[in-house]
Amino acid sequence: MGFSNYQIAGKPAGTSKSNLIYITYTKYENDWPSFMHTHPFTELFLVTGGVGEFYVENDVYPLKKGDFILVNPNTSHTEKSGEENPLEYIAVAVDNYSLNLDNEANHFMFNCILKNPDIIKYMDSMLNEQENNKPYSDHICQNILEIILIEILRTTKTNVDTEPTVNSSKECFKLKKYLDSNYASKITIDDLARLSNLNKYYLIHSFNRYFGSSPINYLCKIRIRVAKELLKNSDYSIDQISQSAGFSSQSYFTQCFKKDCGMSPSAYRQKERIG
């Protein structure tokens, strides 16, 4: 009789404190506002289809299927896609985790198809659990996340930092993601309170604590960033831009824009195009 016995030394150091915040699937459909932004947590990206570009700090990387990107907390980044072969990806947000990379780097990229196909399988499993709303899916996804983080350590051969990056509130992070995706819709604080099942006064206090702004002010900042991109890169009228960015009227848009940028939308467009 053949028999093998393997002693288990214990949990690997450095991954047991990580917290899963959210999992998302995104596909470009010509409505993708692309602007540089940061998060107080680590994000993992897996490209599942299409092509595009990934901007992180001062670097730009072409993206294709199987590419995996880890972005440490507070690192400026964004994604861009063309229309002919739209980009698709899974994103996972992780608190209490960041990678200690060489030369003070704040991101790491490799192709899973070439280096570690198992990560694709695990990321797909996490998304499947959440999409099908299976019993105990959050618990299963947290455990799958631990496996992914270990696979990342195997692939990158680096160390990990598990000091908390932010005192997470799952409800606030969900609302932030909702605002990021639905900025063009009419949204009130009462709507957000209903979505999160939180008292609106507690919601405002908590959101401000985690993100340094009230939900409505945060929403306004997103709309201003979207408007800036449209002013620079499109020929839409000011009224069309105010509607596309989610403002209730052109006059309110102009008022908010002047307050944030110190000039009118028309003056900003002229300045950017001359420059």
Side-chain angles (χ1 to χ4, degrees), residues 57-121:
E57 299 293 351
N58 297 317
D59 297 320
V60 183
Y61 301 97
L63 294 178
K64 62 182 181 300
K65 186 175 181 178
D67 283 344
F68 182 89
I69 309 103
L70 180 147
V71 180
N72 274 338
N74 304 311
T75 301
S76 183
H77 64 281
T78 193
E79 318 84 46
K80 290 189 178 182
S81 173
E83 296 182 19
E84 292 185 4
N85 192 7
L87 192 64
E88 302 176 50
Y89 66 79
I90 300 170
V92 174
V94 188
D95 188 21
N96 297 355
Y97 181 93
S98 62
L99 218 54
N100 292 326
L101 299 166
D102 294 335
N103 302 319
E104 299 183 352
N106 46 28
H107 62 281
F108 192 91
M109 180 175 175
F110 59 87
N111 189 275
C112 288
I113 296 173
L114 300 175
K115 287 195 172 184
N116 196 329
D118 285 342
I119 291 178
I120 298 175
K121 174 180 66 179

Side-chain angles (χ1 to χ4, degrees), residues 18-263:
S18 60
N19 296 318
L20 177 63
I21 301 174
Y22 63 70
I23 307 163
T24 62
Y25 165 78
T26 302
K27 180 177 180 179
Y28 178 79
E29 293 180 343
N30 205 27
D31 57 354
W32 193 326
S34 180
F35 47 81
M36 300 294 280
H37 60 282
T38 64
H39 304 294
F41 48 79
T42 292
E43 276 195 302
L44 315 177
F45 296 87
L46 172 66
V47 178
T48 57
V51 295
E53 293 177 323
F54 194 83
Y55 293 73
V56 54
E57 299 293 351
N58 297 317
D59 297 320
V60 183
Y61 301 97
L63 294 178
K64 62 182 181 300
K65 186 175 181 178
D67 283 344
F68 182 89
I69 309 103
L70 180 147
V71 180
N72 274 338
N74 304 311
T75 301
S76 183
H77 64 281
T78 193
E79 318 84 46
K80 290 189 178 182
S81 173
E83 296 182 19
E84 292 185 4
N85 192 7
L87 192 64
E88 302 176 50
Y89 66 79
I90 300 170
V92 174
V94 188
D95 188 21
N96 297 355
Y97 181 93
S98 62
L99 218 54
N100 292 326
L101 299 166
D102 294 335
N103 302 319
E104 299 183 352
N106 46 28
H107 62 281
F108 192 91
M109 180 175 175
F110 59 87
N111 189 275
C112 288
I113 296 173
L114 300 175
K115 287 195 172 184
N116 196 329
D118 285 342
I119 291 178
I120 298 175
K121 174 180 66 179
Y122 295 133
M123 294 281 277
D124 284 339
S125 296
M126 290 178 72
L127 185 63
N128 181 63
E129 284 288 335
Q130 291 296 315
E131 288 181 338
N132 291 287
N133 197 27
K134 297 179 180 180
Y136 308 106
S137 60
D138 286 353
H139 297 79
I140 290 175
C141 286
Q142 180 66 48
N143 282 282
I144 296 175
L145 173 65
E146 294 292 338
I147 298 173
I148 292 173
L149 298 182
I150 292 170
E151 292 290 352
I152 291 171
L153 295 182
R154 284 176 169 176
T155 305
T156 61
K157 297 179 174 62
T158 54
N159 297 317
V160 68
D161 180 4
T162 59
E163 289 301 313
T165 54
V166 69
N167 185 13
S168 304
S169 163
K170 201 164 189 176
E171 292 78 13
C172 286
F173 279 112
K174 284 181 179 178
L175 286 181
K176 179 181 179 296
K177 195 69 178 176
Y178 176 81
L179 294 174
D180 289 341
S181 301
N182 297 277
Y183 62 86
S185 303
K186 182 180 178 181
I187 299 173
T188 68
I189 194 65
D190 289 325
D191 295 330
L192 298 178
R194 283 192 295 272
L195 281 170
S196 62
N197 293 314
L198 294 175
N199 174 281
K200 64 182 179 182
Y201 301 107
Y202 174 76
L203 166 60
I204 293 169
H205 173 78
S206 297
F207 198 97
N208 187 69
R209 178 185 175 191
Y210 301 133
F211 303 112
S213 170
S214 72
I216 299 304
N217 285 340
Y218 176 80
L219 177 60
C220 186
K221 290 286 187 183
I222 295 174
R223 289 170 171 169
I224 292 293
R225 288 200 299 266
V226 171
K228 284 181 175 179
E229 288 294 317
L230 292 173
L231 287 166
K232 287 190 291 185
N233 301 313
S234 81
D235 293 321
Y236 293 161
S237 69
I238 302 301
D239 184 54
Q240 287 174 318
I241 289 174
S242 70
Q243 292 180 40
S244 297
F247 288 95
S248 56
S249 69
Q250 182 179 335
S251 59
Y252 181 59
F253 165 52
T254 300
Q255 176 187 336
C256 293
F257 197 93
K258 281 183 177 179
K259 183 178 179 181
D260 187 84
C261 304
M263 65 182 73

